[in-house]
């Protein structure tokens, strides 16, 4: 079934742009008063009404009233939104100046979310996840990566991954699951860090593969989480099993992004503490650098060096890191706009980071642009100039699901 939808004051198809490096707004293709022709939910072409209507007279016409700027739906390539409970106590302690260790000793930190998530049954966890997914969808985020990592046992991780799968059948958003069993060595595991990673490799990942629960594996490389050498060994083995690799890297200390590049990870995420040599490594690799401004805002810390990464030639994606601890807000557009202002990113760089460059981090070839053949997963902002979107720093909200 063919549909012809428009007119849109501007359409930004985000096609024909380089995957890596700095972008200027002048490089954006901006189609004025364009219409979108779709066939069974996929983009066929974009152009003026007269031509498309003449070439496809049987297409059903859907007229849009008012000024709208049309973009591909955003892709959030890093979230932890499958969790139960709250960590508001951590936040209150942190803004009083308490350290990570003090918060953890007072019963906060990742382990607190593990306890609260383990205690939730699958129905509750699915409901909580879907509420967050629907909020993201209403804010224009149509493809969402979701990590486990609050189970930290075979049973707990499988529960989270099964919940993510169940939720994916109940929403119009596309959910991409990632196994983050290596978030932290759980307090109830008796053994060393490398023994825990071996346990995951032998007891959990084969089931994740067999049940097709995820094809991505993540690890948190950091003082107090996992050491670089243990991580390298774990990730190489996970890769041999056929998993794509992504890494929580250089959040507080450098070291993780070098491991990510060495194993050929699809992305290295966080990077707030990356040094110039890490930036260079990332820029010379195929690993996508993912900035997580929501974590910088939640923790009151510096942003990832997004400007430097782009100038060095890296592929920069921007994701929310939405999680109960460091990034509870979860408003991706607002976060990207605010970081963009601080880091002096162009509109083109921010939109690329939220669309086709984020698709690259998830190895999705058919998302993040309005190229011919891509699913017509779009959002339209009520304005007449695409520059209004970031200018309003998240306060301009899109219409979604307007193309059949
Ligand atoms: O990406 N850095 C590690 N993990 C998360 C935080 C998760 C949590 O605090 O619950 C992050 O910021
Ligand atoms: Fe994270």
């Amino acid at each position: 079934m063919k549909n012809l939808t428009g007119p849109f004051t501007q359409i930004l198809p985000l096609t024909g742009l380089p995957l890596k490096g700095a972008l200027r707004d002048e490089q954006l293709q901006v189609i004025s008063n364009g219409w979108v022709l779709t066939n069974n939910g996929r983009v066929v072409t974009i152009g003026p009404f007269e031509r498309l209507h003449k070439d496809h007279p049987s297409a059903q016409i859907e007229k849009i009233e008012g000024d709208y700027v049309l973009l591909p739906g955003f892709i959030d390539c890093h979230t932890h939104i499958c969790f139960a409970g709250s960590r508001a106590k951590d936040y209150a302690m942190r803004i009083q100046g308490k350290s990570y260790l003090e918060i953890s000793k007072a019963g906060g930190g990742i382990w607190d979310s593990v306890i609260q998530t383990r205690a939730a049954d699958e129905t509750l966890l699915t409901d909580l996840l879907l509420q967050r997914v629907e909020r993201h969808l209403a804010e224009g985020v149509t493809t969402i990566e979701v990590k486990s990592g609050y189970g930290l046992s075979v049973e707990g991780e499988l529960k989270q991954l099964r919940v993510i799968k169940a939720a994916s059948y109940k929403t119009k958003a596309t959910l991409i699951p990632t196994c983050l069993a290596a978030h932290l060595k759980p307090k109830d595991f008796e053994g060393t860090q490398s023994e825990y990673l071996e346990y995951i490799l032998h007891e959990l990942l084969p089931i994740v593969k067999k049940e097709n629960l995820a094809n991505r594996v993540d690890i948190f490389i950091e003082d107090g989480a996992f050491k670089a050498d243990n991580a390298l060994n774990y990730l190489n083995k996970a890769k041999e099993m056929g998993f794509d690799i992504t890494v929580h890297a250089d959040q507080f200390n450098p070291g993780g992004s070098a491991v990510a590049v060495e194993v050929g990870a699809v992305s290295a995420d966080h990077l707030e503490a990356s040094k110039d040599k890490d930036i260079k490594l990332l820029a010379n690799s195929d690993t996508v650098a993912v900035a997580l401004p929501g974590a910088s805002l939640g923790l009151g810390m510096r942003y990832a060096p997004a400007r430097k990464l782009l100038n060095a030639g890296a592929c920069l994606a921007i994701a929310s890191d939405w999680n109960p601890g460091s990034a509870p807000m979860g408003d991706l557009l607002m976060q990207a706009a605010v970081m963009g202002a601080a880091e002096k990113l162009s509109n083109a760089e921010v939109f690329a980071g939220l669309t086709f460059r984020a698709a690259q981090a998830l190895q999705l070839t058919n998302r993040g642009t309005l190229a011919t053949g891509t699913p017509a997963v779009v959002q339209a902002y009520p304005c007449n100039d695409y520059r209004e979107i970031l200018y309003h720093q998240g306060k301009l909200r899109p219409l979604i699901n307007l193309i059949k």
Side-chain angles (χ1 to χ4, degrees):
M1 158 106 176
K2 283 186 184 164
N3 281 273
L4 188 50
T5 312
F8 295 99
T9 316
Q10 293 183 335
I11 301 178
L12 273 66
L14 298 176
T15 45
L17 293 165
L19 197 52
K20 295 174 74 173
L23 293 170
R24 286 170 296 104
D25 286 352
E26 295 71 34
Q27 290 173 266
L28 287 171
Q29 188 191 2
V30 181
I31 300 167
S32 297
N33 295 315
W35 288 66
V36 183
L37 181 79
T38 56
N39 190 6
N40 293 327
R42 285 184 185 267
V43 176
V44 177
T45 188
I46 295 168
F49 177 79
E50 295 69 28
R51 175 164 63 78
L52 299 189
H53 184 53
K54 186 163 159 272
D55 293 350
H56 305 271
S58 65
Q60 175 143 353
I61 295 169
E62 310 278 349
K63 195 156 184 344
I64 303 288
E65 301 291 345
D67 280 323
Y68 282 98
V69 173
L70 189 77
L71 293 173
F74 291 144
I75 297 171
D76 191 349
C77 65
H78 181 138
T79 85
H80 307 247
I81 55 175
C82 182
F83 66 86
S86 162
R87 302 246 298 280
K89 278 185 301 201
D90 291 21
Y91 191 82
M93 287 181 77
R94 201 180 306 117
I95 54 184
Q96 282 163 13
K98 296 281 188 287
S99 71
Y100 184 81
L101 206 65
E102 287 169 312
I103 294 170
S104 169
K105 278 196 178 138
I110 293 171
W111 185 245
D112 186 20
S113 289
V114 172
I115 292 170
Q116 299 189 71
T117 304
R118 281 183 183 175
D121 66 20
E122 293 199 12
T123 311
L124 172 62
L125 209 48
T126 309
D127 284 352
L128 291 168
L129 169 58
L130 279 170
Q131 279 172 27
R132 298 176 188 121
V133 165
E134 293 308 311
R135 204 195 89 186
H136 241 11
L137 199 52
E139 294 175 357
V141 186
T142 52
T143 301
I144 309 166
E145 186 258 14
V146 187
K147 298 177 196 296
S148 62
Y150 295 124
L152 306 191
S153 64
V154 168
E155 184 196 355
E157 289 291 304
L158 287 176
K159 179 176 80 176
Q160 279 197 287
L161 292 169
R162 287 176 183 142
V163 160
I164 298 165
K165 193 170 191 169
S168 73
Y169 296 118
K170 296 185 176 170
T171 174
K172 286 195 168 146
T174 301
L175 305 187
I176 307 290
T178 301
C179 180
L180 178 56
H183 202 180
L184 193 75
K185 180 169 81 76
K187 289 192 181 174
D188 55 2
F189 183 85
E190 285 172 18
T192 63
Q193 209 179 82
S194 51
E195 282 165 348
Y196 176 68
L197 294 175
E198 285 299 313
Y199 157 76
I200 297 301
L201 282 166
H202 293 108
E203 308 292 329
L204 175 65
L205 294 187
I207 306 176
V208 172
K209 263 262 113 117
K210 196 164 137 239
E211 289 190 26
N212 198 18
L213 293 171
N215 63 18
R216 298 161 42 85
V217 160
D218 194 350
I219 189 166
F220 184 19
I221 301 178
E222 190 53 68
D223 295 357
F226 291 94
K227 291 191 195 338
D229 52 351
N230 287 338
L232 190 58
N233 179 46
Y234 172 70
L235 296 175
N236 276 325
K237 288 181 177 163
K239 200 174 173 186
E240 273 167 30
M241 294 174 75
F243 289 99
D244 279 348
I245 303 302
T246 175
V247 179
H248 277 73
D250 305 355
Q251 184 180 12
F252 305 108
N253 296 286
S257 60
V259 173
V261 170
E262 186 167 345
V263 297
V266 294
S267 75
D269 306 28
H270 271 297
L271 311 176
E272 294 89 329
S274 295
K275 302 281 184 216
D276 286 347
K277 71 171 186 344
D278 304 309
I279 293 172
K280 211 166 164 185
L281 274 178
L282 286 162
N284 291 327
S285 76
D286 291 330
T287 300
V288 178
V290 182
L292 304 171
S296 304
L297 293 168
L299 297 174
M301 285 179 58
R302 67 189 152 190
Y303 294 109
R307 182 69 269 147
K308 279 189 171 183
L309 282 157
L310 286 162
N311 287 352
C315 176
L316 180 86
I318 304 169
S320 74
D321 197 20
W322 194 354
N323 73 71
S326 58
M329 175 227 289
D331 186 333
L332 178 60
L333 177 58
M334 178 274 192
Q335 294 165 358
V338 168
M339 183 186 76
E343 283 287 312
K344 305 283 178 281
L345 306 186
S346 66
N347 287 274
E349 287 166 335
V350 174
F351 290 142
L354 294 172
T355 57
F356 67 93
R357 289 177 171 179
Q360 176 70 14
L362 298 177
Q363 300 284 287
L364 298 174
T365 50
N366 66 349
R367 291 278 160 130
T369 71
L370 301 180
T372 301
T374 55
V377 182
V378 298
Q379 50 173 340
Y381 287 85
C383 57
N384 59 13
D385 183 321
Y386 71 87
R387 291 171 296 194
E388 295 279 342
I389 301 170
L390 296 179
Y391 167 67
H392 285 280
Q393 297 193 318
K395 283 292 177 191
L396 212 56
R397 290 302 185 192
L399 283 182
I400 62 156
N401 279 341
L402 67 177
I403 291 197
K404 304 224 172 53

